[in-house]
Amino acid sequence: MDKANHKFRWVIFASVLVAYLFMSSQRTAPGLITDQLMRDFSVTASTIGLVTSIQFFVYTGLQIPMGLLADRYGPILFLIIGTALTGLGTIIYGVTTHEYVLIFARILTGIGDATIWVNMILVLSMWFNQKEFTRLIGIAGMTGSLGFLLATVPFSVLIVSLGWRGAFFTAGVVLCLCSTWLYFIFVKKANQPLFVKKEGPREKITVLLRRVCLNRQAWALFLCHFGLVGGYIGFIGSWAVPYMIDVYGISRLDASQLVLISLLGALIGAPLIGWLASYLGAIKRTYVVFHLMVLLCWSTFLFFPNHPPFYILIILFFMIGFGFGSNSLTFAIVRQTFPVTESGIVSGFANTGGFLSAVLLPSIFGFILDYFQATSGQIVDGYYYGFFTPVIFAIFGLIGVLFVRVGGTGSLYQLSKRN
């Protein structure tokens, strides 16, 4: 089958995106029921914080191993199993009556979630040519933001209708059905093997990992993702709402609406930036522009000693979300500069950078807030100095994109020799 010219590739694309949509929604959906979990399980906020964050720790830690496995055995098996594990973890989350099982459920969900992005990239690389890939990776990034959006009002309605247990059980069943559908599409209809048997001697994992860790291009892509993802997911997903409540004195509902504005920016930015980079044929220059834009937006918070005017805040939230949509270009550069046989581990390495920053930023920001509240009692000062964190992260991202090489495909070995 000529995959790059076969019409069935669009069925493949749509099927994987639907699975990604529901999987990404389960990253943030538990945040809707924090108070209910504390009441039903009689646990503290710190326990709920552990339950919430454990998925991201697991996800981050598995990105490089998943890239290695995907390169060695192909992406199809891991897509199917990962979707099923996310569904199973979500079902367990909805039916358990013990807090330790809640943690186990989120670990399962994190393992499953860790499979989706790297393997989705490999599937798109196999079924679409380079120009199509650059456009479609933006749509894939938009789907992740749609998943976050799905975990707001729509999932809240489902919780009201079915109760939180019924809502999570239903979401888990849907994900298990998605896993079954992926098996049917890939194995039964497209006649793709679950395992890819590669001929010839296999390189030792330690040798390959060492080469990745010594490769300038891989580290540049790591920093690109580190600079964009942590600021957006880390801040918007943790401190954005408290910031607006504490500093601007608005209600939680109004603050949540501003978060939706940022999500809207990401929804628009991801496909538009992907299309723009493909149309111009200038991935690096496009990426540099949006890294600069995000750095300028975060730096704007430091230009106002108290806080930016509210109308500027709205613009900043939208533009930060819009700029976040450019993060998919990281993987377009991976596709352009590395062969498919090595793009899994490089994609996993780059994605580790993004979610490492998403894990670090809330903790660093929270530490700064605690320090200023304890020493001066002025939480507004804490927020002001806290914004140095996403600014520094964005500087790392800009450094990364400036060191990126584009044009021409070479193996890790060849790129290492050039570097």
Side-chain angles (χ1 to χ4, degrees):
M1 180 185 292
D2 182 10
K3 295 176 181 177
N5 295 308
H6 201 286
K7 291 182 180 179
F8 194 71
R9 72 191 192 279
W10 296 109
V11 177
I12 296 283
F13 180 61
S15 300
V16 175
L17 283 196
V18 169
Y20 182 44
L21 173 71
F22 288 110
M23 290 175 77
S24 60
S25 73
Q26 292 309 303
R27 294 173 183 172
T28 55
L32 298 173
I33 58 167
T34 298
D35 55 337
Q36 292 173 284
L37 290 177
M38 291 176 65
R39 183 178 63 250
D40 292 353
F41 289 86
S42 300
V43 293
T44 63
S46 60
T47 301
I48 296 300
L50 174 62
V51 172
T52 302
S53 63
I54 193 69
Q55 177 178 351
F56 289 105
F57 282 107
V58 172
Y59 180 99
T60 304
L62 288 180
Q63 286 306 289
I64 294 176
M66 182 50 56
L68 285 166
L69 290 170
D71 283 338
R72 181 153 294 191
Y73 301 111
I76 295 173
L77 177 67
F78 299 108
L79 273 178
I80 295 170
I81 292 179
T83 308
L85 283 177
T86 305
L88 180 61
T90 305
I91 290 173
I92 295 173
Y93 195 83
V95 301
T96 185
T97 57
H98 200 286
E99 61 267 24
Y100 291 113
V101 183
L102 277 181
I103 295 174
F104 172 73
R106 295 308 289 176
I107 290 173
L108 270 185
T109 304
I111 294 171
D113 192 20
T115 68
I116 183 65
W117 184 256
V118 170
N119 289 290
M120 180 170 63
I121 288 170
L122 291 182
V123 166
L124 295 184
S125 298
M126 290 161 45
W127 286 83
F128 295 91
N129 61 46
Q130 186 171 298
K131 189 165 183 133
E132 288 178 325
F133 181 89
T134 302
R135 293 196 300 266
L136 296 179
I137 198 69
I139 296 175
M142 179 189 73
T143 303
S145 297
L146 276 174
F148 296 150
L149 193 60
L150 184 65
T152 56
V153 176
F155 203 73
S156 296
V157 172
L158 193 63
I159 290 172
V160 171
S161 301
L162 303 178
W164 74 265
R165 292 187 180 277
F168 279 90
F169 182 85
T170 302
V173 170
V174 169
L175 280 163
C176 289
L177 291 175
C178 286
S179 176
T180 304
W181 175 253
L182 288 175
Y183 175 82
F184 175 76
I185 286 296
F186 280 109
V187 179
K188 297 300 183 182
K189 297 297 290 183
N191 295 318
Q192 300 295 298
L194 284 174
F195 276 103
V196 176
K197 296 180 180 179
K198 297 184 178 180
E199 303 295 333
R202 289 177 177 172
E203 189 173 29
K204 288 184 178 180
I205 290 176
T206 53
V207 175
L208 183 57
L209 282 173
R210 181 175 179 275
R211 201 156 67 233
V212 171
C213 292
L214 293 176
N215 180 259
R216 191 183 76 175
Q217 178 82 342
W219 277 106
L221 293 167
F222 179 99
L223 290 176
C224 283
H225 224 51
F226 183 94
L228 282 181
V229 174
Y232 178 78
I233 294 180
F235 179 75
I236 296 297
S238 61
W239 292 110
V241 170
Y243 167 70
M244 289 180 281
I245 293 173
D246 292 337
V247 175
Y248 291 87
I250 63 177
S251 69
R252 186 173 301 274
L253 178 60
D254 290 338
S256 299
Q257 289 173 350
L258 272 182
V259 171
L260 288 179
I261 289 175
S262 186
L263 283 171
L264 179 62
L267 285 172
I268 297 172
L272 184 59
I273 293 170
W275 173 85
L276 181 64
S278 176
Y279 176 78
L280 296 175
I283 295 177
K284 179 174 178 175
R285 278 182 289 173
T286 304
Y287 211 6
V288 168
V289 168
F290 286 102
H291 267 276
L292 281 170
M293 185 189 80
V294 170
L295 174 58
L296 179 61
C297 287
W298 286 121
S299 300
T300 301
F301 285 96
L302 303 180
F303 296 156
F304 298 92
N306 292 320
H307 56 75
F310 194 72
Y311 74 92
I312 292 181
L313 181 71
I314 295 173
I315 296 171
L316 289 175
F317 269 43
F318 179 83
M319 296 306 293
I320 289 169
F322 191 92
F324 168 76
S326 69
N327 78 86
S328 297
L329 295 183
T330 297
F331 305 99
I333 295 171
V334 172
R335 171 70 171 82
Q336 186 181 94
T337 57
F338 293 92
V340 173
T341 55
E342 296 170 346
S343 60
I345 183 174
V346 180
S347 296
F349 187 75
N351 211 26
T352 298
F355 281 86
L356 176 64
S357 64
V359 169
L360 289 176
L361 186 137
S363 300
I364 297 172
F365 209 103
F367 175 80
I368 294 172
L369 286 178
D370 287 342
Y371 173 80
F372 277 91
Q373 197 162 20
T375 56
S376 66
Q378 296 296 321
I379 196 168
V380 174
D381 291 341
Y383 280 112
Y384 175 81
Y385 287 100
F387 281 113
F388 278 98
T389 308
V391 168
I392 293 170
F393 282 17
I395 290 172
F396 279 120
L398 182 60
I399 292 171
V401 75
L402 290 174
F403 277 97
V404 158
R405 293 176 181 267
V406 294
T409 300
S411 68
L412 278 172
Y413 175 75
Q414 292 167 330
L415 287 169
S416 296
K417 292 292 284 184
R418 289 205 298 267
N419 292 336

